[in-house]
Amino acid sequence: RFINSGWKSRDNLEIVRRKLAREYIDGLSGNLSLARDLASFEVLYDDWSLISTWFADLQEVTPADLQEVAKRYLIKDNRT
């Protein structure tokens, strides 16, 4: 139900953006966490340098984008 109605609000999306940004910044407390994040980006996206653009990309996500992804992937056939 939340997927269908909750993400229509830009306020909800902004809360999630701020939470993700804060968690990321808090995680940059040392070399180990930075190394882990760089390695994660290299493994997941085959490009460690994307770590410098993820926040800008996050800012471009709209409630409509979330609705589209939810309708595509959060369907009964994908349940495990």
Side-chain angles (χ1 to χ4, degrees):
R1 187 170 19 144
F2 182 76
I3 295 297
N4 292 329
S5 62
W7 290 109
K8 292 179 182 174
S9 167
R10 286 202 170 271
D11 293 338
N12 290 337
L13 183 56
E14 189 58 32
I15 290 168
V16 172
R17 283 182 180 140
R18 287 181 184 178
K19 184 178 184 328
L20 288 172
R22 182 65 182 174
E23 288 175 0
Y24 177 72
I25 291 168
D26 287 346
L28 294 177
S29 59
N31 290 335
L32 181 61
S33 60
L34 181 56
R36 181 196 63 230
D37 290 343
L38 288 169
S40 294
F41 272 77
E42 183 63 29
V43 169
L44 295 172
Y45 308 113
D46 200 28
D47 187 357
W48 63 267
S49 66
L50 291 177
I51 200 167
S52 63
T53 63
W54 79 269
F55 189 73
D57 295 341
L58 177 64
Q59 296 303 313
E60 294 180 19
V61 173
T62 66
D65 294 333
L66 295 175
Q67 288 285 324
E68 182 181 330
V69 169
K71 286 178 184 175
R72 176 183 275 173
Y73 295 106
L74 300 179
I75 58 174
K76 191 173 185 175
D77 290 343
N78 286 346
R79 292 181 187 172
T80 58

